[in-house]
Amino acid sequence: MTPKLYFAPLEGVTDRFFRSIHASLFADAAPDAYFAPFFTPTQDTPITDRDRAAVLPANNNGYDLVPQIMSNTPQTFLLGARVLYDMGYRCVNLNLGCPSGTVTSRGRGAGFLSDPDALDRFFDAVFSDLLFSPHGGGMTLSVKTRLGVFAPDEFFEILPVYNRYPISELILHPRVRKEMYRGDVHTDMTVYTVQNTALPLCINGDLFTVEDVCTVCDALGHLPHAIMLGRGAVSNPMLFGQIRAQLAGGTVVPTDKTRIRQFYLALCEDAKTRLSGERHVLFRMKELFAYWIVLFADAESHRRRLRKAASLAEFHAAAESLFSECELYPDAGFIGNAKMNG
């Protein structure tokens, strides 16, 4: 049985509009679930109108969505979770992986990992609540985590905390907060986690290609419960289908630049209808092409044209030139010659 495949949330990129278009155009290569970017409940405002719109089921038709909460107090976490429960959600993800300084300075995200005892008290309170109790409302909690704040061996104290609770899924990004997204992931700690937990494990972090996924699975010695990809899946919108086929021993369909162009045009039209002013549309397209450009061979001059474009017309001309003049790497999305930078 192949692992579940998840699309990680990228703030400002994989919003509900992106998800909807991706799920529609790449139904044959869709993930099992998309994860929404986190929202942070407060005592006065469990969820803002903007965050509510982002996760409202009516705005996320055609695919499974897992909402994500950022919190370090059980009271505010439960307030947000109850809002989601009332919307119809039965699974929520707690973000203990975000390394952003504005998040960690408040003791949230990966910053919460600095105090395993406080983390233990948090889970004790949450799982004692009727909503998450095994005999309660039937809501489950998955956790996205890093190894710690400064050093990987911090996880030796953190993992036993997770093991004490009925966490539905542990999503591991094997870096510490200090490393952000730099340097190699600590695959040895992923192996350690496999050997020291009975929790369903989802692997995450620096999985940009089919080859990356196969390498990690080989290191683990078996297929994990689930695999989560973010930047690599934005770069190659067909990646989930390719991974699924590879792990199942089926036929892997190569990445198709015609379909990437279709994706670009659909996202551009969507941005035009929603965003005020050409400048905002242009910014969004430049952000997306920063991911897609790595799939194209001999594209440096096109990269510069796209980056320097001062109008949508200029940008579109540069994009069309890229699609017509450049081919994808022969193994784009499969091996490391098309990996994301950083």
Side-chain angles (χ1 to χ4, degrees), residues 211-325:
E211 181 191 47
D212 291 336
V213 171
C214 291
T215 297
V216 172
C217 290
D218 287 344
L220 297 181
H222 64 85
L223 298 180
H225 172 75
I227 299 168
M228 175 178 276
L229 303 96
R231 291 172 290 166
V234 175
S235 173
N236 177 9
M238 296 178 65
L239 185 55
F240 290 109
Q242 293 165 348
I243 292 170
R244 190 175 286 118
Q246 179 72 27
L247 296 182
T251 301
V252 180
V253 177
T255 306
D256 183 348
K257 73 172 179 177
T258 300
R259 297 184 69 182
I260 296 176
R261 179 178 179 273
Q262 185 183 15
F263 195 28
Y264 151 62
L265 292 174
L267 286 165
C268 189
E269 287 306 308
D270 166 74
K272 288 178 183 177
T273 64
R274 293 186 298 104
L275 302 179
S276 58
E278 182 175 292
R279 180 173 173 272
H280 292 94
V281 179
L282 185 61
F283 178 80
R284 180 159 175 79
M285 292 302 103
K286 287 186 177 184
E287 184 175 32
L288 290 167
F289 261 95
Y291 289 93
W292 296 330
I293 194 72
V294 299
L295 298 177
F296 291 83
D298 303 318
E300 185 55 38
S301 63
H302 297 82
R303 184 199 299 266
R304 289 195 296 270
R305 285 184 61 191
L306 290 165
R307 188 172 60 245
K308 293 179 179 180
S311 68
L312 268 181
E314 187 179 347
F315 186 88
H316 184 65
E320 290 298 329
S321 176
L322 171 72
F323 286 120
S324 64
E325 296 176 16

Side-chain angles (χ1 to χ4, degrees), residues 68 122 162-163 166 169 213 228 281 341:
Q68 189 177 84
F122 175 94
Y162 297 145
N163 285 340
E169 200 167 50
V213 171
M228 175 178 276
V281 179
N341 294 318

Side-chain angles (χ1 to χ4, degrees), residues 55-303:
V55 297
L56 200 65
N59 293 337
N60 292 279
N61 285 320
Y63 54 88
D64 289 334
L65 181 69
V66 179
Q68 189 177 84
I69 290 178
M70 178 78 72
S71 177
N72 60 0
T73 66
Q75 296 81 9
T76 56
F77 175 82
L78 289 166
L79 285 173
R82 288 192 180 96
V83 170
L84 296 172
Y85 184 89
D86 290 342
M87 289 184 189
Y89 288 103
R90 293 298 178 266
C91 178
V92 62
N93 180 257
L94 172 67
N95 186 318
L96 296 176
C98 180
S100 168
T102 56
V103 168
T104 58
S105 63
R106 294 176 171 85
R108 300 180 184 134
F112 200 179
L113 301 176
S114 65
D115 191 343
D117 290 337
L119 199 61
D120 199 354
R121 294 191 296 271
F122 175 94
F123 285 120
D124 183 63
V126 167
F127 285 109
S128 296
D129 188 272
L130 190 63
L131 188 62
F132 289 96
S133 166
H135 307 292
M139 199 165 198
T140 62
L141 172 61
S142 67
V143 174
K144 172 80 180 294
T145 186
R146 287 192 174 227
L147 298 172
V149 178
F150 299 106
D153 60 8
E154 294 172 35
F155 203 60
F156 297 145
E157 291 186 53
I158 295 168
L159 183 58
V161 175
Y162 297 145
N163 285 340
R164 283 194 280 274
Y165 297 96
I167 292 168
S168 63
E169 200 167 50
L170 187 64
I171 303 169
L172 177 65
H173 183 121
R175 283 191 176 97
V176 296
R177 184 267 160 183
K178 183 180 179 181
E179 293 169 318
M180 303 294 284
Y181 297 96
R182 298 185 297 268
D184 293 335
V185 295
H186 301 278
T187 304
D188 59 325
M189 293 301 295
T190 305
V191 174
Y192 168 83
T193 305
V194 169
Q195 296 170 346
N196 288 276
T197 188
L199 296 172
L201 182 66
C202 173
I203 60 172
N204 172 239
D206 282 15
L207 301 176
F208 302 123
T209 65
V210 174
E211 181 191 47
D212 291 336
V213 171
C214 291
T215 297
V216 172
C217 290
D218 287 344
L220 297 181
H222 64 85
L223 298 180
H225 172 75
I227 299 168
M228 175 178 276
L229 303 96
R231 291 172 290 166
V234 175
S235 173
N236 177 9
M238 296 178 65
L239 185 55
F240 290 109
Q242 293 165 348
I243 292 170
R244 190 175 286 118
Q246 179 72 27
L247 296 182
T251 301
V252 180
V253 177
T255 306
D256 183 348
K257 73 172 179 177
T258 300
R259 297 184 69 182
I260 296 176
R261 179 178 179 273
Q262 185 183 15
F263 195 28
Y264 151 62
L265 292 174
L267 286 165
C268 189
E269 287 306 308
D270 166 74
K272 288 178 183 177
T273 64
R274 293 186 298 104
L275 302 179
S276 58
E278 182 175 292
R279 180 173 173 272
H280 292 94
V281 179
L282 185 61
F283 178 80
R284 180 159 175 79
M285 292 302 103
K286 287 186 177 184
E287 184 175 32
L288 290 167
F289 261 95
Y291 289 93
W292 296 330
I293 194 72
V294 299
L295 298 177
F296 291 83
D298 303 318
E300 185 55 38
S301 63
H302 297 82
R303 184 199 299 266

